């Protein structure tokens, strides 16, 4: 009977298969067989093979494949299935809120679809396209992304960070307040500047619209000049802020590099002068201007000076003087009423405004160090100039001679040189010399019939014979002298004598002339600003 059972079992191996049963079932026993129970399908995870009923009456354990060197099961002969391999191109990643990052899966041994899940969907969500998993940052935090295929799986930890918003704009923008279609110069009444902005909000522009207007669109701000002057463009999105200095220069001025042979190193510096297309009588010089050769904004550092003759005088006319020539063409600057010399101008060239008969107000940039010879000579109605707000070091000869309306002048502490005849025949009433000047040269205040008060620092060692007085006699002026040293130091000042002895103009003389010693100039200035 057992022999027959064995034969039936062998026959059952090739004839009948029952799928999905996890173990051999018991034989019929007592010699009776149920063939469907004698050929059993054995499953072991992803691997499976056929087993057959043994000669024993019972067999209940599961059996796994045993793979031979030929990759076939030594029990059933089935081919070994391909192993599923899954790898990811990254195991950690970072993404900003609102941005995406991709994870690419590489799969072998399976043609099943790649799937992905987010461990914390509130922080990051996933979508799958083929073998590429796209992770979108939702809010700050982390999420473990699980990618699976064919029973294999891998993970990638994604950190979601706050979005880094960037807002940047250039530091300087220079426009002009008008244009002439016939002009050879570029029209920069309207100017576009690039904005590097990565935010998602609404970018706003704030600017003094009396100077210029500003609108933002598609990564650019369009600036339109309204009138000459200086303002600041402020861009903001509620979180970030960027600023750009905006200057509207007077249209028609001319800019150019220094002549290296005359003015030293021309690199990164520009000079300025009047131009044929200027129509405004109020002149505003910008701190910077675009140099076509360099392709960048360069500082405007000097007002063009006149031509110096062999005797030390100035024959030619300067940047904005009454008349000057350029390649045979004459230009006139006499219609100028006011001027701002720019933030970076250090030198007011010789004869720069000589005989500008309509000039009333001069606002010097704080960087001015030198006022050239004859710079304002003959400006009859010039009444206001802020020398005390500059870094003035030198005033060259005849600079303010003949300025009949110039009544009040303060020379800053930085000033250490005053040339001859600087204020000769001018209308000065009060002159405060705060710096370490050592010499008052000839004609410094000669012919200043309105002069009533002069502050002289203790640093003064020499005063020329005709520094003070009139052209007829030295002792005919009424004057208060405020001196920062002692009486002994004052008396030690060297007064030059000659047949015209004007030294007596500096000596006390009853009610006519007073000298006040040991004066604290800082205290005097404070008292003037805040009178009792």
């Amino acid at each position: 009977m057992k022999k027959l059972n064995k034969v039936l079992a062998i026959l059952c191996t090739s004839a009948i298969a029952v799928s999905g049963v996890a173990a051999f079932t018991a034989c019929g026993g007592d010699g009776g067989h149920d063939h469907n129970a004698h050929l059993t399908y054995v499953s072991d995870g992803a691997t499976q093979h056929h087993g057959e009923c043994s000669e024993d009456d019972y067999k209940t354990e599961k059996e796994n494949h045993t793979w031979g060197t030929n990759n076939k099961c030594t029990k059933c002969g089935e081919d070994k299935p391909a192993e599923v391999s899954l790898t990811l191109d990254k195991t950690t990643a970072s993404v900003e809120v609102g941005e995406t990052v991709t994870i690419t899966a590489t799969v072998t041994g399976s043609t099943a679809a790649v799937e992905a899940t987010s461990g914390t969907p509130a922080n990051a969500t996933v979508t799958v396209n083929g073998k590429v998993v796209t992770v979108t940052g939702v809010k700050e935090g982390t999420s473990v992304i699980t990618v699976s295929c064919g029973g294999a799986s891998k993970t990638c930890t994604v950190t979601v960070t706050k979005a880094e918003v960037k807002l940047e704009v250039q530091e300087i923008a220079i426009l002009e307040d008008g244009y002439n279609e016939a002009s050879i110069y570029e029209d920069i009444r309207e100017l576009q500047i690039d904005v590097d902005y990565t935010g998602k909000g609404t970018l706003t522009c704030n600017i003094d619209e009396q100077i210029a207007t500003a609108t933002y669109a598609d990564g650019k701000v369009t600036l339109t000049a309204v009138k000459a002057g200086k303002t600041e463009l402020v861009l903001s999105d509620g979180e970030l802020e960027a600023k750009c200095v905006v200057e509207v220069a007077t249209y028609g001025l001319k800019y150019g590099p220094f002549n290296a042979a005359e003015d030293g190193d021309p690199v990164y510096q520009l000079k300025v002068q009047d131009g044929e297309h200027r129509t405004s009588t109020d002149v505003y010089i910008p701190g910077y201007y675009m140099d076509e050769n360099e392709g960048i904004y360069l500082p405007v550092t000097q007002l063009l000076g006149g031509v110096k003759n062999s005797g030390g005088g100035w024959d030619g006319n300067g940047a904005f003087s009454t008349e000057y020539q350029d390649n045979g063409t004459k230009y006139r600057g006499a219609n100028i009423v006011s001027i701002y010399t720019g933030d970076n101008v250090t030198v007011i060239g010789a004869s720069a405004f000589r005989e500008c008969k309509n000039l009333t107000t001069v606002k010097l940039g704080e960087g001015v160090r030198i006022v050239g010879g004859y710079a304002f000579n003959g400006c009859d109605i010039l009444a206001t100039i802020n020398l005390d707000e500059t870094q003035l070091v030198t005033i060259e000869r005849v600079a303010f001679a003949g300025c009949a309306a110039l009544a009040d002048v303060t020379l800053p502490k930085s000033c250490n040189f005053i040339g001859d005849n600087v204020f000769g025949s001018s209308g000065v009433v009060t002159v405060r010399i705060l710096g370490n000047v050592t010499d008052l040269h000839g004609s410094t205040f000669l012919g200043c019939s309105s002069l009533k008060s002069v502050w002289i620092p203790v640093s003064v060692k020499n005063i020329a014979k005709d520094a003070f007085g009139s052209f007829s006699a030295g002792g005919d002026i009424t004057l208060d002298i405020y001196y920062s040293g002692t009486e002994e130091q004052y008396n030690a000042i060297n007064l030059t004598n000659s047949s015209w002895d004007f030294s007596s103009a500096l000596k006390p003389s009853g009610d006519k002339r007073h000298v006040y010693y040991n004066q604290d100039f800082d205290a005097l200035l404070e008292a003037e600003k805040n009178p009792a």
Side-chain angles (χ1 to χ4, degrees):
M1 184 64 183
K2 287 186 175 181
K3 185 175 181 180
L4 179 59
N5 289 342
K6 187 174 183 179
V7 172
L8 288 173
I10 293 172
L11 291 173
C12 289
T13 301
S14 60
I16 303 173
V18 179
S19 174
V21 180
F24 291 109
T25 59
C27 294
D30 297 329
H33 273 300
D34 178 358
H35 293 309
N36 287 334
H38 295 148
L39 188 59
T40 308
Y41 196 80
V42 180
S43 176
D44 178 31
T47 65
Q48 45 193 235
H49 76 276
H50 298 288
E52 65 181 44
C53 181
S54 70
E55 294 182 356
D56 298 328
D57 288 341
Y58 296 94
K59 189 174 182 66
T60 59
E61 71 275 13
K62 293 181 180 180
E63 292 185 358
N64 294 330
H65 289 292
T66 303
W67 304 112
T69 56
N70 60 352
N71 288 328
K72 292 181 178 294
C73 179
T74 59
K75 296 178 180 180
C76 67
E78 282 193 11
D79 291 331
K80 181 179 180 180
E83 294 182 0
V84 178
S85 172
L86 172 64
T87 60
L88 304 179
D89 66 339
K90 54 179 72 74
T91 57
T92 61
S94 179
V95 65
E96 294 180 355
V97 173
E99 300 297 329
T100 61
V101 64
T102 59
I103 304 169
T104 302
T106 301
V107 180
T108 59
S110 178
T111 58
V114 171
E115 298 178 343
T117 59
S118 171
T120 312
N123 294 343
T125 59
V126 295
T127 57
V128 182
N129 183 10
K131 293 181 174 61
V132 178
V133 179
T134 299
V135 182
T136 302
V138 178
K139 73 173 185 177
E140 290 181 83
T142 60
S143 182
V144 177
I145 309 302
T146 301
V147 182
S148 59
C149 180
S153 65
K154 296 289 183 180
T155 62
C156 175
T157 300
V158 175
T159 301
V160 182
T161 62
K162 184 178 180 180
E164 293 185 7
V165 181
K166 181 169 59 174
L167 176 57
E168 295 178 354
V169 68
Q170 67 190 52
E171 295 180 359
I172 303 165
I174 307 296
L175 298 85
E176 291 184 336
D177 63 357
Y179 66 95
N180 184 321
E181 292 182 358
S183 172
I184 62 172
Y185 305 110
E186 181 182 4
D187 169 19
I188 53 174
R189 187 171 184 270
E190 183 174 284
L191 179 68
Q192 283 193 332
I193 58 175
D194 293 326
V195 179
D196 188 355
Y197 176 57
T198 59
K200 307 299 182 183
T202 301
L203 195 62
T204 59
C205 302
N206 292 292
I207 195 170
D208 182 352
E209 294 189 347
Q210 292 184 345
I211 303 297
T213 60
T215 56
Y216 173 78
D218 302 324
K220 295 182 181 294
V221 170
T222 300
L223 295 167
T224 303
V226 176
K227 72 173 185 178
K230 181 178 180 180
T231 183
E232 184 176 58
L233 168 67
V234 180
L235 301 175
S236 61
D237 71 348
E239 296 181 9
L240 294 183
E241 185 176 87
K243 297 179 179 181
C244 173
V245 173
V246 176
E247 287 193 274
V248 178
T250 297
Y251 180 76
L253 305 182
K254 294 183 65 176
Y255 304 84
F258 284 131
N259 182 327
E262 296 179 359
D263 303 300
D265 187 357
V267 178
Y268 302 128
Q269 299 184 77
L270 293 177
K271 62 185 176 182
V272 63
Q273 64 187 97
D274 207 357
E276 60 183 310
H277 299 293
R278 178 185 61 79
T279 57
S280 174
T281 59
D282 297 313
V283 175
Y284 182 97
I285 297 171
Y288 298 85
Y289 200 78
M290 178 67 74
D291 179 83
E292 294 181 357
N293 295 324
E294 296 289 340
I296 57 175
Y297 282 118
L298 302 181
V300 180
T301 60
Q302 181 172 338
L303 274 63
L304 182 71
V307 179
K308 196 170 186 178
N309 60 36
S310 58
W314 299 91
D315 294 333
N317 296 294
F320 296 90
S321 52
T322 302
E323 185 176 275
Y324 67 95
Q325 292 192 7
D326 184 9
N327 295 324
T329 302
K330 291 184 178 182
Y331 304 111
R332 301 186 64 80
N335 65 341
I336 296 175
V337 172
S338 69
I339 188 161
Y340 173 65
T341 62
D343 292 348
N344 293 313
V345 167
T346 59
V347 178
I348 308 298
S351 299
F353 299 97
R354 190 174 186 177
E355 296 184 11
C356 284
K357 300 298 184 180
N358 294 314
L359 183 61
T360 63
T361 304
V362 174
K363 172 68 174 175
L364 301 175
E366 64 180 18
V368 169
R369 297 173 60 85
I370 299 174
V371 174
Y374 294 83
F376 298 94
N377 174 225
C379 294
D380 297 341
I381 62 173
L382 173 61
T384 304
I385 187 168
N386 61 317
L387 294 169
D388 56 318
E389 298 174 5
T390 70
Q391 301 176 37
L392 183 68
V393 175
T394 299
I395 304 179
E396 295 180 352
R397 64 189 307 267
V398 201
F400 295 97
C403 293
L406 189 61
D408 191 289
V409 175
T410 299
L411 306 184
K413 292 180 179 181
S414 56
C415 183
N416 59 32
F417 179 83
I418 303 173
D420 67 279
N421 199 24
V422 164
F423 297 103
S425 299
S426 70
V428 289
V429 175
T430 300
V431 177
R432 306 170 191 85
I433 304 172
L434 305 182
N436 293 320
V437 173
T438 59
D439 294 86
L440 297 182
H441 297 284
S443 303
T444 302
F445 299 105
L446 183 61
C448 297
S449 57
S450 299
L451 185 63
K452 300 298 181 184
S453 175
V454 177
W455 298 12
I456 299 177
V458 69
S459 58
V460 171
K461 305 302 180 185
N462 303 291
I463 299 177
K465 66 177 179 64
D466 52 357
F468 291 85
S470 69
F471 290 100
S472 60
D476 63 349
I477 62 174
T478 299
L479 185 66
D480 286 336
I481 296 176
Y482 294 86
Y483 182 66
S484 63
T486 66
E487 182 176 0
E488 290 75 17
Q489 290 173 312
Y490 182 83
N491 291 329
I493 295 174
N494 179 37
L495 304 177
T496 304
N497 295 312
S498 72
S499 56
W500 280 13
D501 183 4
F502 296 109
S503 63
S504 60
L506 299 178
K507 299 297 183 181
S509 176
D511 293 332
K512 196 170 187 180
R513 287 186 296 279
H514 298 91
V515 179
Y516 301 95
Y517 307 107
N518 301 308
Q519 295 299 299
D520 183 339
F521 290 170
D522 289 334
L524 290 177
L525 287 171
E526 185 63 27
E528 287 185 350
K529 292 178 182 177
N530 301 289

